[in-house]
Amino acid sequence: MIDMMNLKNCRVTKEIQLQIRSLIKKSHFSLTKKEYEHLIYYDFGLGHFDKEGVTIIDLLNTERLRITLMILLPYQTLPEHFHPSYPGEKGKEETVRVLFGETRLYIEGETNASNMVIPDGKELFYTVKHEINLIKNQQYTINHGTRHWFQGGEKGSVNLEFQNTVDEKRNRFTDPNINIA
Ligand code: ZN
């Protein structure tokens, strides 16, 4: 997951909003009407939400624990980042579990992906290429300090994210055009 707190909620079209609602419905994860209204759309300031972006809603966000619903459109990419350690904090341990669709997770390690789809012109900013392909009911825990990025499969995906609460301002993105300060 990423540092949501300091990133601006971006505008998305009605059509995209409906597409995201439809994905959530397909996941059978129940949200209240109010929660649907408070979905947050992030484009990381890059201006092409459907290519690089994510939709989230925090289900729980306390001093110690954060649980988030994360929705990715087909081939939408959550840019590469990591959650560094800092005094008093080892960094974020992040578990993603797929509820619907397929999520491609890329982490540090041997390159094993043959059909990886990096956003156009962004090759420099996607450096970790060990693919872990997750489908419904599969989950993976990303250790603290590990560089990673996510991408929705051909149908998109709906995911639960379990993570310890960290200072999200310290998260580091590979793409210098993403400014979270
Ligand atoms: Zn993350």
PDB file of all heavy atoms in Angstrom, residues 64-88:
ATOM      1  N   ARG A  64      -2.127   1.803  15.487  1.00  0.00           N
ATOM      2  CA  ARG A  64      -1.286   0.628  15.279  1.00  0.00           C
ATOM      3  C   ARG A  64      -1.640  -0.209  14.064  1.00  0.00           C
ATOM      4  O   ARG A  64      -0.803  -0.972  13.570  1.00  0.00           O
ATOM      5  CB  ARG A  64      -1.346  -0.264  16.520  1.00  0.00           C
ATOM      6  CG  ARG A  64      -0.880   0.464  17.760  1.00  0.00           C
ATOM      7  CD  ARG A  64      -0.955  -0.417  18.970  1.00  0.00           C
ATOM      8  NE  ARG A  64       0.034  -1.490  18.916  1.00  0.00           N
ATOM      9  CZ  ARG A  64       0.096  -2.464  19.819  1.00  0.00           C
ATOM     10  NH1 ARG A  64      -0.759  -2.522  20.794  1.00  0.00           N
ATOM     11  NH2 ARG A  64       1.026  -3.382  19.707  1.00  0.00           N
ATOM     12  N   LEU A  65      -2.875  -0.115  13.602  1.00  0.00           N
ATOM     13  CA  LEU A  65      -3.323  -1.055  12.573  1.00  0.00           C
ATOM     14  C   LEU A  65      -4.152  -0.355  11.506  1.00  0.00           C
ATOM     15  O   LEU A  65      -4.968   0.522  11.806  1.00  0.00           O
ATOM     16  CB  LEU A  65      -4.180  -2.135  13.255  1.00  0.00           C
ATOM     17  CG  LEU A  65      -4.664  -3.301  12.400  1.00  0.00           C
ATOM     18  CD1 LEU A  65      -3.484  -4.113  11.870  1.00  0.00           C
ATOM     19  CD2 LEU A  65      -5.577  -4.211  13.232  1.00  0.00           C
ATOM     20  N   ARG A  66      -3.915  -0.783  10.264  1.00  0.00           N
ATOM     21  CA  ARG A  66      -4.675  -0.212   9.164  1.00  0.00           C
ATOM     22  C   ARG A  66      -5.160  -1.340   8.245  1.00  0.00           C
ATOM     23  O   ARG A  66      -4.364  -2.193   7.827  1.00  0.00           O
ATOM     24  CB  ARG A  66      -3.775   0.756   8.388  1.00  0.00           C
ATOM     25  CG  ARG A  66      -4.511   1.518   7.317  1.00  0.00           C
ATOM     26  CD  ARG A  66      -3.599   2.565   6.718  1.00  0.00           C
ATOM     27  NE  ARG A  66      -4.276   3.188   5.603  1.00  0.00           N
ATOM     28  CZ  ARG A  66      -3.666   3.845   4.633  1.00  0.00           C
ATOM     29  NH1 ARG A  66      -2.356   3.982   4.645  1.00  0.00           N
ATOM     30  NH2 ARG A  66      -4.352   4.370   3.653  1.00  0.00           N
ATOM     31  N   ILE A  67      -6.451  -1.332   7.965  1.00  0.00           N
ATOM     32  CA  ILE A  67      -7.037  -2.319   7.051  1.00  0.00           C
ATOM     33  C   ILE A  67      -7.790  -1.553   5.973  1.00  0.00           C
ATOM     34  O   ILE A  67      -8.615  -0.686   6.258  1.00  0.00           O
ATOM     35  CB  ILE A  67      -7.973  -3.300   7.792  1.00  0.00           C
ATOM     36  CG1 ILE A  67      -7.156  -4.059   8.850  1.00  0.00           C
ATOM     37  CG2 ILE A  67      -8.620  -4.273   6.817  1.00  0.00           C
ATOM     38  CD1 ILE A  67      -7.960  -4.993   9.718  1.00  0.00           C
ATOM     39  N   THR A  68      -7.463  -1.877   4.751  1.00  0.00           N
ATOM     40  CA  THR A  68      -7.921  -1.066   3.617  1.00  0.00           C
ATOM     41  C   THR A  68      -8.493  -1.967   2.525  1.00  0.00           C
ATOM     42  O   THR A  68      -7.978  -3.062   2.298  1.00  0.00           O
ATOM     43  CB  THR A  68      -6.710  -0.282   3.044  1.00  0.00           C
ATOM     44  OG1 THR A  68      -6.098   0.453   4.094  1.00  0.00           O
ATOM     45  CG2 THR A  68      -7.112   0.664   1.955  1.00  0.00           C
ATOM     46  N   LEU A  69      -9.532  -1.484   1.876  1.00  0.00           N
ATOM     47  CA  LEU A  69     -10.001  -2.129   0.656  1.00  0.00           C
ATOM     48  C   LEU A  69      -9.331  -1.403  -0.513  1.00  0.00           C
ATOM     49  O   LEU A  69      -9.367  -0.165  -0.580  1.00  0.00           O
ATOM     50  CB  LEU A  69     -11.524  -2.033   0.552  1.00  0.00           C
ATOM     51  CG  LEU A  69     -12.171  -2.931  -0.502  1.00  0.00           C
ATOM     52  CD1 LEU A  69     -12.072  -4.405  -0.083  1.00  0.00           C
ATOM     53  CD2 LEU A  69     -13.644  -2.555  -0.703  1.00  0.00           C
ATOM     54  N   MET A  70      -8.701  -2.155  -1.387  1.00  0.00           N
ATOM     55  CA  MET A  70      -7.939  -1.562  -2.499  1.00  0.00           C
ATOM     56  C   MET A  70      -8.473  -2.112  -3.820  1.00  0.00           C
ATOM     57  O   MET A  70      -8.530  -3.322  -4.009  1.00  0.00           O
ATOM     58  CB  MET A  70      -6.454  -1.909  -2.348  1.00  0.00           C
ATOM     59  CG  MET A  70      -5.602  -1.488  -3.530  1.00  0.00           C
ATOM     60  SD  MET A  70      -3.845  -1.827  -3.267  1.00  0.00           S
ATOM     61  CE  MET A  70      -3.719  -3.520  -3.814  1.00  0.00           C
ATOM     62  N   ILE A  71      -8.843  -1.200  -4.712  1.00  0.00           N
ATOM     63  CA  ILE A  71      -9.416  -1.612  -5.994  1.00  0.00           C
ATOM     64  C   ILE A  71      -8.494  -1.155  -7.122  1.00  0.00           C
ATOM     65  O   ILE A  71      -8.086   0.017  -7.178  1.00  0.00           O
ATOM     66  CB  ILE A  71     -10.827  -1.009  -6.197  1.00  0.00           C
ATOM     67  CG1 ILE A  71     -11.753  -1.432  -5.050  1.00  0.00           C
ATOM     68  CG2 ILE A  71     -11.426  -1.453  -7.531  1.00  0.00           C
ATOM     69  CD1 ILE A  71     -11.936  -0.422  -3.961  1.00  0.00           C
ATOM     70  N   LEU A  72      -8.194  -2.094  -8.005  1.00  0.00           N
ATOM     71  CA  LEU A  72      -7.370  -1.783  -9.185  1.00  0.00           C
ATOM     72  C   LEU A  72      -8.186  -2.077 -10.442  1.00  0.00           C
ATOM     73  O   LEU A  72      -8.788  -3.150 -10.563  1.00  0.00           O
ATOM     74  CB  LEU A  72      -6.100  -2.638  -9.199  1.00  0.00           C
ATOM     75  CG  LEU A  72      -5.079  -2.331  -8.106  1.00  0.00           C
ATOM     76  CD1 LEU A  72      -4.064  -3.471  -7.988  1.00  0.00           C
ATOM     77  CD2 LEU A  72      -4.349  -1.015  -8.407  1.00  0.00           C
ATOM     78  N   LEU A  73      -8.205  -1.139 -11.364  1.00  0.00           N
ATOM     79  CA  LEU A  73      -8.856  -1.349 -12.659  1.00  0.00           C
ATOM     80  C   LEU A  73      -7.993  -2.302 -13.497  1.00  0.00           C
ATOM     81  O   LEU A  73      -6.831  -2.544 -13.164  1.00  0.00           O
ATOM     82  CB  LEU A  73      -8.976  -0.005 -13.389  1.00  0.00           C
ATOM     83  CG  LEU A  73      -9.897   1.023 -12.736  1.00  0.00           C
ATOM     84  CD1 LEU A  73      -9.684   2.396 -13.384  1.00  0.00           C
ATOM     85  CD2 LEU A  73     -11.353   0.590 -12.848  1.00  0.00           C
ATOM     86  N   PRO A  74      -8.550  -2.813 -14.599  1.00  0.00           N
ATOM     87  CA  PRO A  74      -7.721  -3.660 -15.463  1.00  0.00           C
ATOM     88  C   PRO A  74      -6.422  -2.958 -15.866  1.00  0.00           C
ATOM     89  O   PRO A  74      -6.467  -1.837 -16.383  1.00  0.00           O
ATOM     90  CB  PRO A  74      -8.621  -3.909 -16.676  1.00  0.00           C
ATOM     91  CG  PRO A  74     -10.013  -3.799 -16.119  1.00  0.00           C
ATOM     92  CD  PRO A  74      -9.945  -2.735 -15.069  1.00  0.00           C
ATOM     93  N   TYR A  75      -5.319  -3.573 -15.559  1.00  0.00           N
ATOM     94  CA  TYR A  75      -3.959  -3.093 -15.879  1.00  0.00           C
ATOM     95  C   TYR A  75      -3.611  -1.743 -15.229  1.00  0.00           C
ATOM     96  O   TYR A  75      -2.594  -1.135 -15.554  1.00  0.00           O
ATOM     97  CB  TYR A  75      -3.712  -3.063 -17.388  1.00  0.00           C
ATOM     98  CG  TYR A  75      -3.849  -4.445 -17.982  1.00  0.00           C
ATOM     99  CD1 TYR A  75      -4.959  -4.802 -18.739  1.00  0.00           C
ATOM    100  CD2 TYR A  75      -2.886  -5.421 -17.732  1.00  0.00           C
ATOM    101  CE1 TYR A  75      -5.118  -6.094 -19.235  1.00  0.00           C
ATOM    102  CE2 TYR A  75      -3.035  -6.718 -18.226  1.00  0.00           C
ATOM    103  CZ  TYR A  75      -4.140  -7.040 -18.980  1.00  0.00           C
ATOM    104  OH  TYR A  75      -4.288  -8.314 -19.453  1.00  0.00           O
ATOM    105  N   GLN A  76      -4.452  -1.283 -14.323  1.00  0.00           N
ATOM    106  CA  GLN A  76      -4.082  -0.078 -13.568  1.00  0.00           C
ATOM    107  C   GLN A  76      -2.940  -0.446 -12.616  1.00  0.00           C
ATOM    108  O   GLN A  76      -2.967  -1.496 -11.969  1.00  0.00           O
ATOM    109  CB  GLN A  76      -5.285   0.429 -12.763  1.00  0.00           C
ATOM    110  CG  GLN A  76      -5.042   1.782 -12.098  1.00  0.00           C
ATOM    111  CD  GLN A  76      -6.238   2.216 -11.255  1.00  0.00           C
ATOM    112  OE1 GLN A  76      -6.929   1.406 -10.662  1.00  0.00           O
ATOM    113  NE2 GLN A  76      -6.482   3.510 -11.218  1.00  0.00           N
ATOM    114  N   THR A  77      -1.975   0.444 -12.521  1.00  0.00           N
ATOM    115  CA  THR A  77      -0.731   0.147 -11.799  1.00  0.00           C
ATOM    116  C   THR A  77      -0.568   1.082 -10.607  1.00  0.00           C
ATOM    117  O   THR A  77      -0.673   2.307 -10.759  1.00  0.00           O
ATOM    118  CB  THR A  77       0.465   0.310 -12.757  1.00  0.00           C
ATOM    119  OG1 THR A  77       0.250  -0.550 -13.876  1.00  0.00           O
ATOM    120  CG2 THR A  77       1.775  -0.062 -12.085  1.00  0.00           C
ATOM    121  N   LEU A  78      -0.316   0.492  -9.466  1.00  0.00           N
ATOM    122  CA  LEU A  78       0.023   1.283  -8.285  1.00  0.00           C
ATOM    123  C   LEU A  78       1.545   1.386  -8.279  1.00  0.00           C
ATOM    124  O   LEU A  78       2.236   0.373  -8.162  1.00  0.00           O
ATOM    125  CB  LEU A  78      -0.507   0.584  -7.033  1.00  0.00           C
ATOM    126  CG  LEU A  78      -0.518   1.391  -5.745  1.00  0.00           C
ATOM    127  CD1 LEU A  78      -1.404   0.723  -4.712  1.00  0.00           C
ATOM    128  CD2 LEU A  78       0.850   1.616  -5.179  1.00  0.00           C
ATOM    129  N   PRO A  79       2.084   2.605  -8.426  1.00  0.00           N
ATOM    130  CA  PRO A  79       3.521   2.749  -8.705  1.00  0.00           C
ATOM    131  C   PRO A  79       4.446   2.147  -7.637  1.00  0.00           C
ATOM    132  O   PRO A  79       4.086   2.026  -6.471  1.00  0.00           O
ATOM    133  CB  PRO A  79       3.699   4.271  -8.781  1.00  0.00           C
ATOM    134  CG  PRO A  79       2.362   4.806  -9.133  1.00  0.00           C
ATOM    135  CD  PRO A  79       1.371   3.893  -8.444  1.00  0.00           C
ATOM    136  N   GLU A  80       5.649   1.825  -8.103  1.00  0.00           N
ATOM    137  CA  GLU A  80       6.657   1.176  -7.256  1.00  0.00           C
ATOM    138  C   GLU A  80       7.059   2.070  -6.085  1.00  0.00           C
ATOM    139  O   GLU A  80       7.304   3.269  -6.259  1.00  0.00           O
ATOM    140  CB  GLU A  80       7.876   0.864  -8.126  1.00  0.00           C
ATOM    141  CG  GLU A  80       8.969   0.108  -7.391  1.00  0.00           C
ATOM    142  CD  GLU A  80      10.120  -0.234  -8.325  1.00  0.00           C
ATOM    143  OE1 GLU A  80       9.958  -1.103  -9.193  1.00  0.00           O
ATOM    144  OE2 GLU A  80      11.188   0.397  -8.178  1.00  0.00           O
ATOM    145  N   HIS A  81       7.143   1.452  -4.926  1.00  0.00           N
ATOM    146  CA  HIS A  81       7.498   2.188  -3.708  1.00  0.00           C
ATOM    147  C   HIS A  81       7.987   1.215  -2.647  1.00  0.00           C
ATOM    148  O   HIS A  81       7.876  -0.007  -2.813  1.00  0.00           O
ATOM    149  CB  HIS A  81       6.288   2.960  -3.176  1.00  0.00           C
ATOM    150  CG  HIS A  81       5.166   2.066  -2.727  1.00  0.00           C
ATOM    151  ND1 HIS A  81       4.293   1.485  -3.613  1.00  0.00           N
ATOM    152  CD2 HIS A  81       4.795   1.630  -1.497  1.00  0.00           C
ATOM    153  CE1 HIS A  81       3.429   0.739  -2.951  1.00  0.00           C
ATOM    154  NE2 HIS A  81       3.714   0.798  -1.654  1.00  0.00           N
ATOM    155  N   PHE A  82       8.496   1.763  -1.549  1.00  0.00           N
ATOM    156  CA  PHE A  82       8.747   0.934  -0.363  1.00  0.00           C
ATOM    157  C   PHE A  82       8.503   1.765   0.881  1.00  0.00           C
ATOM    158  O   PHE A  82       8.367   2.997   0.801  1.00  0.00           O
ATOM    159  CB  PHE A  82      10.145   0.315  -0.386  1.00  0.00           C
ATOM    160  CG  PHE A  82      11.286   1.275  -0.196  1.00  0.00           C
ATOM    161  CD1 PHE A  82      11.922   1.386   1.047  1.00  0.00           C
ATOM    162  CD2 PHE A  82      11.747   2.057  -1.241  1.00  0.00           C
ATOM    163  CE1 PHE A  82      12.984   2.262   1.234  1.00  0.00           C
ATOM    164  CE2 PHE A  82      12.799   2.937  -1.064  1.00  0.00           C
ATOM    165  CZ  PHE A  82      13.421   3.037   0.171  1.00  0.00           C
ATOM    166  N   HIS A  83       8.425   1.053   1.998  1.00  0.00           N
ATOM    167  CA  HIS A  83       8.103   1.681   3.274  1.00  0.00           C
ATOM    168  C   HIS A  83       9.317   1.548   4.176  1.00  0.00           C
ATOM    169  O   HIS A  83       9.531   0.488   4.767  1.00  0.00           O
ATOM    170  CB  HIS A  83       6.891   0.988   3.913  1.00  0.00           C
ATOM    171  CG  HIS A  83       5.722   0.866   2.980  1.00  0.00           C
ATOM    172  ND1 HIS A  83       4.832   1.894   2.784  1.00  0.00           N
ATOM    173  CD2 HIS A  83       5.319  -0.144   2.165  1.00  0.00           C
ATOM    174  CE1 HIS A  83       3.912   1.503   1.899  1.00  0.00           C
ATOM    175  NE2 HIS A  83       4.198   0.281   1.509  1.00  0.00           N
ATOM    176  N   PRO A  84      10.151   2.567   4.267  1.00  0.00           N
ATOM    177  CA  PRO A  84      11.423   2.434   4.982  1.00  0.00           C
ATOM    178  C   PRO A  84      11.245   2.381   6.498  1.00  0.00           C
ATOM    179  O   PRO A  84      10.204   2.797   7.027  1.00  0.00           O
ATOM    180  CB  PRO A  84      12.165   3.713   4.584  1.00  0.00           C
ATOM    181  CG  PRO A  84      11.114   4.696   4.262  1.00  0.00           C
ATOM    182  CD  PRO A  84       9.951   3.918   3.718  1.00  0.00           C
ATOM    183  N   SER A  85      12.286   1.878   7.148  1.00  0.00           N
ATOM    184  CA  SER A  85      12.308   1.934   8.613  1.00  0.00           C
ATOM    185  C   SER A  85      12.724   3.338   9.029  1.00  0.00           C
ATOM    186  O   SER A  85      13.289   4.096   8.231  1.00  0.00           O
ATOM    187  CB  SER A  85      13.298   0.908   9.159  1.00  0.00           C
ATOM    188  OG  SER A  85      14.585   1.189   8.674  1.00  0.00           O
ATOM    189  N   TYR A  86      12.414   3.679  10.241  1.00  0.00           N
ATOM    190  CA  TYR A  86      12.842   4.958  10.823  1.00  0.00           C
ATOM    191  C   TYR A  86      12.882   4.762  12.328  1.00  0.00           C
ATOM    192  O   TYR A  86      12.388   3.728  12.824  1.00  0.00           O
ATOM    193  CB  TYR A  86      11.934   6.102  10.374  1.00  0.00           C
ATOM    194  CG  TYR A  86      10.452   5.912  10.602  1.00  0.00           C
ATOM    195  CD1 TYR A  86       9.836   6.291  11.801  1.00  0.00           C
ATOM    196  CD2 TYR A  86       9.652   5.355   9.610  1.00  0.00           C
ATOM    197  CE1 TYR A  86       8.478   6.120  12.000  1.00  0.00           C
ATOM    198  CE2 TYR A  86       8.288   5.177   9.805  1.00  0.00           C
ATOM    199  CZ  TYR A  86       7.705   5.563  11.001  1.00  0.00           C
ATOM    200  OH  TYR A  86       6.358   5.381  11.200  1.00  0.00           O
ATOM    201  N   PRO A  87      13.457   5.671  13.086  1.00  0.00           N
ATOM    202  CA  PRO A  87      13.599   5.449  14.524  1.00  0.00           C
ATOM    203  C   PRO A  87      12.265   5.061  15.177  1.00  0.00           C
ATOM    204  O   PRO A  87      11.259   5.748  15.011  1.00  0.00           O
ATOM    205  CB  PRO A  87      14.102   6.803  15.050  1.00  0.00           C
ATOM    206  CG  PRO A  87      14.851   7.371  13.884  1.00  0.00           C
ATOM    207  CD  PRO A  87      14.082   6.938  12.666  1.00  0.00           C
ATOM    208  N   GLY A  88      12.287   3.909  15.843  1.00  0.00           N
ATOM    209  CA  GLY A  88      11.092   3.441  16.540  1.00  0.00           C
ATOM    210  C   GLY A  88      10.139   2.649  15.666  1.00  0.00           C
ATOM    211  O   GLY A  88       9.081   2.216  16.134  1.00  0.00           O
TER     212      GLY A  88
END
